[in-house]
């Protein structure tokens, strides 16, 4: 009955692990979920209030498929402030979360067989999305030596006449690593040799950075002339803790944005008008609140990384952005738990959940085994308790 595509389709690894953690919690287990990527704090009251008022005022019907002019104007304004590049509201489209916006961008850009370069470690959904639009994901591998980043020469080696898109995500999910200006300059210089390549820049974490800057270094900072070849993706989910409101956006050349908007109008119609009004309040009024959350995240990061590094076999650097620790557990993989060999980081994640009710995402789901992604967007108390449990689990393993 099912199509070939549906038969090959796996659910999102992050959402599956998060659902499993919630199920165990509902059964009464004391689960600490460091799995799903969402802030633990509530949506800011200013945003909620704007949403409630919009519902009361009857903003509950269909709206324009590319988003309201007010929100598109505010997005163009914020992007100018952050990236120093002018966009008109016609170069912006809004839809139901960055996930769908990314998918819409791929759908209007990729022909069957087109190759999409994806640096690994990557966000779990990228390769599947590319396959769903009949593209070919081409993984650019990286490791500890390259700082878990794809450098210009590594990317260039994989370029073929079929390469259509380079997907960049900085700060990165799952590693929290950020490209430096120099690394971006190198990528920009390399890209100039291949004018057919479009860059899809997933900027969803670009305001959640711990370097004191207001935004992560961006390809447009170092090479604004690439604007006509770039699609920028962003979202209210992480910055404004609005994961359940489902609101994301894209900026890019008008003809791509128009095609995406047509695609949206034939698939999801539009993002809900009251969500758009709430997001507008976030963009215009919540700067200070976000700055406060970044400070909290940074102190949680420090506490968590420091504690985790005291557990034998667990190693992590300090992520510069987003809210994930990328823990190197190559020293744990291969050990034995309750008589069972833990052959992969996926086995370690499963055993940790079963043994200690700590949920984490295996790095293998992001294209690099031997690691776990642990979110630190949770309360300090839970982070401390999680490390205690990780230690107990680790101590129980046989070599
Ligand atoms: N890109 C990255 C890198 C992500 O981590 C996520 C997950 N939230 C998304 C896109 C999608 O975000 P959303 O659909 O919630 O806007
Ligand atoms: N992007 C988040 C994560 O990586 C949310 C879950 C998802 O959409 O996959 O955990």
């Amino acid at each position: 009955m099912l199509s070939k595509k549906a038969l090959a389709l796996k659910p999102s690894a992050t959402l599956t692990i998060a659902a499993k953690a919630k199920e165990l919690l509902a059964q009464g287990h004391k689960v600490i979920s460091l799995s799903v990527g969402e802030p633990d704090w509530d949506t800011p009251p200013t945003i909620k209030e704007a949403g409630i008022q919009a519902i009361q005022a009857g903003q509950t019907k269909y709206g324009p498929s590319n988003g309201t002019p007010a929100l598109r104007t505010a997005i163009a304004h914020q992007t100018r402030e952050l990236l120093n590049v002018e966009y008109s509201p016609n170069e912006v489209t809004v839809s139901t979360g960055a996930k769908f916006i990314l998918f819409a961008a791929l759908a209007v850009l990729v022909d069957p067989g087109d190759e999409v370069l994806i640096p690994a470690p990557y966000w779990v959904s990228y390769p599947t999305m590319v396959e769903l639009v009949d593209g070919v994901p081409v993984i650019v591998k990286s490791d500890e030596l390259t700082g878990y980043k794809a450098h210009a020469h590594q990317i260039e080696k994989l370029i073929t006449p079929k390469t259509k898109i380079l997907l960049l995500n900085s700060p990165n999910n799952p590693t929290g690593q950020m490209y430096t200006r120099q690394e971006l300059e190198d990528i920009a210089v390399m890209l100039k040799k291949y004018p057919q390549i479009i860059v899809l820049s997933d900027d969803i974490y670009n305001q959640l950075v711990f370097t004191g800057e207001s935004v992560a270094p961006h390809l447009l900072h170092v090479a604004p002339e690439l604007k006509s070849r770039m699609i920028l993706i962003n979202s209210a989910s992480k910055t404004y803790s609005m994961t359940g409101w489902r609101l994301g956006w894209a900026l890019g050349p008008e003809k791509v944005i128009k095609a995406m908007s047509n695609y949206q109008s034939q698939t999801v119609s539009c993002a809900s008008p009251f969500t758009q009004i709430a997001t507008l309040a976030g963009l215009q009024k919540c700067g200070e609140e976000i700055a406060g959350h970044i400070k909290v995240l940074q102190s949680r990061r420090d506490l968590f990384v420091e504690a985790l590094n005291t557990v034998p076999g667990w190693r992590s650097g300090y992520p510069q952005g987003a809210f994930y620790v990328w823990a190197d557990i190559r020293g744990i993989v291969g050990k034995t738990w309750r008589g069972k060999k833990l052959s992969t980081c996926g086995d370690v994640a499963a055993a940790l959940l079963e043994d200690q009710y700590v949920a984490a995402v295996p790095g293998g789901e992001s294209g690099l085994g031997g690691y776990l992604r642990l979110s630190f967007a949770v309360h300090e108390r839970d982070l401390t308790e999680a490390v205690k449990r990780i230690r107990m689990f680790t101590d129980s393993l046989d070599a």
Side-chain angles (χ1 to χ4, degrees):
M1 184 192 283
L2 292 176
S3 68
K4 287 195 189 93
K5 265 188 195 166
L7 286 169
L9 187 61
K10 288 187 305 168
S12 152
T14 44
L15 295 180
T16 304
I17 295 161
K20 170 93 182 147
K22 279 194 180 145
E23 198 184 298
L24 289 168
L25 196 66
Q27 288 165 11
H29 300 292
K30 290 202 165 55
V31 177
I32 301 180
S33 183
L34 309 181
S35 58
V36 77
E38 70 182 347
D40 67 324
W41 56 85
D42 212 354
T43 305
T46 313
I47 298 177
K48 286 208 259 186
E49 196 47 48
I52 291 164
Q53 274 179 23
I55 291 173
Q56 302 288 18
Q59 293 289 334
T60 54
K61 305 288 173 69
Y62 293 130
S65 54
N66 59 343
T68 62
L71 182 57
R72 285 185 286 116
T73 304
I75 289 167
H77 177 77
Q78 191 194 58
T79 308
R80 183 171 59 240
E81 300 277 292
L82 294 174
L83 304 182
N84 211 13
V85 180
E86 284 297 328
Y87 281 95
S88 83
N90 291 341
E91 294 172 304
V92 182
T93 186
V94 168
S95 192
T96 52
K99 204 177 217 171
F100 186 75
I101 277 275
L102 256 162
F103 185 72
L106 290 167
V108 306
L109 292 170
V110 173
D111 277 321
D114 281 349
E115 293 174 2
V116 178
L117 292 165
I118 304 177
Y122 47 73
W123 177 41
V124 294
S125 291
Y126 292 153
T128 306
M129 282 189 189
V130 171
E131 283 163 1
L132 281 173
V133 299
D134 297 322
V136 180
V138 175
I139 308 303
V140 189
K141 292 196 176 125
S142 75
D143 54 25
E144 190 175 5
L145 289 176
T146 62
Y148 307 109
K149 291 186 267 191
H151 296 277
H153 65 278
Q154 297 167 301
I155 299 171
E156 189 169 14
K157 273 196 206 136
L158 293 171
I159 292 175
T160 75
K162 292 200 157 197
T163 307
K164 182 78 188 269
I165 293 175
L166 167 65
L167 231 164
L168 282 183
N169 173 222
S170 175
N172 171 273
N173 174 1
T175 66
Q177 292 304 315
M178 235 154 69
Y179 284 81
T180 62
R181 287 179 77 93
Q182 183 59 56
E183 288 161 350
L184 292 168
E185 266 169 37
D186 294 345
I187 292 175
V189 169
M190 182 275 289
L191 280 172
K192 283 180 196 151
K193 293 191 248 168
Y194 305 96
Q196 81 280 12
I197 299 180
I198 296 159
V199 181
L200 256 181
S201 183
D202 182 345
D203 301 336
I204 187 163
Y205 298 101
N206 75 345
Q207 291 187 71
L208 299 180
V209 297
F210 311 121
T211 52
E213 297 155 298
S214 57
V215 67
H218 197 277
L219 207 48
L220 286 178
H221 287 143
V222 299
E225 64 281 8
L226 288 178
K227 182 188 165 203
S228 62
R229 297 166 55 180
M230 290 192 67
I231 320 290
L232 317 184
I233 309 283
N234 219 314
S235 162
S237 284
K238 316 287 173 168
T239 319
Y240 303 106
S241 194
M242 291 178 71
T243 48
W245 295 72
R246 311 306 304 131
L247 198 292
W249 58 85
L251 303 98
E254 204 169 330
K255 67 172 181 226
V256 179
I257 292 298
K258 182 90 185 79
M260 288 172 68
S261 152
N262 291 343
Y263 192 83
Q264 291 159 210
S265 81
Q266 297 282 19
T267 51
V268 290
S269 297
C270 61
S272 97
F274 56 85
T275 293
Q276 295 186 61
I277 289 170
T279 303
L280 183 60
L283 286 167
Q284 292 177 336
K285 299 182 187 158
C286 290
E288 268 179 39
E289 208 158 337
I290 306 310
H293 289 312
I294 291 168
K295 281 213 180 93
V296 171
L297 275 179
Q298 185 165 356
S299 74
R300 287 176 177 178
R301 174 198 71 163
D302 294 348
L303 174 140
F304 192 43
V305 171
E306 203 183 315
L308 199 61
N309 279 331
T310 65
V311 183
W314 293 69
R315 245 172 9 107
S316 166
Y318 287 79
Q320 297 152 302
F323 37 66
Y324 307 109
V325 152
W326 179 241
D328 181 345
I329 56 156
R330 286 174 290 175
I332 302 293
V333 175
K335 293 197 173 198
T336 305
W337 170 74
R338 296 187 189 169
K340 255 194 312 199
K341 187 165 176 184
L342 304 174
S343 305
T344 65
C345 59
D347 293 343
V348 176
L352 181 62
L353 185 59
E354 196 180 327
D355 193 83
Q356 291 292 333
Y357 299 111
V358 174
V361 182
E365 301 289 348
S366 293
L368 186 62
Y371 294 81
L372 288 186
R373 186 194 86 172
L374 304 143
S375 165
F376 54 89
V378 300
H379 198 281
E380 287 78 358
R381 187 182 50 231
D382 287 336
L383 292 175
T384 306
E385 173 63 20
V387 175
K388 214 166 105 191
R389 294 188 194 182
I390 288 170
R391 188 187 302 281
M392 283 198 285
F393 168 72
T394 308
D395 287 346
S396 77
L397 302 177
D398 296 315

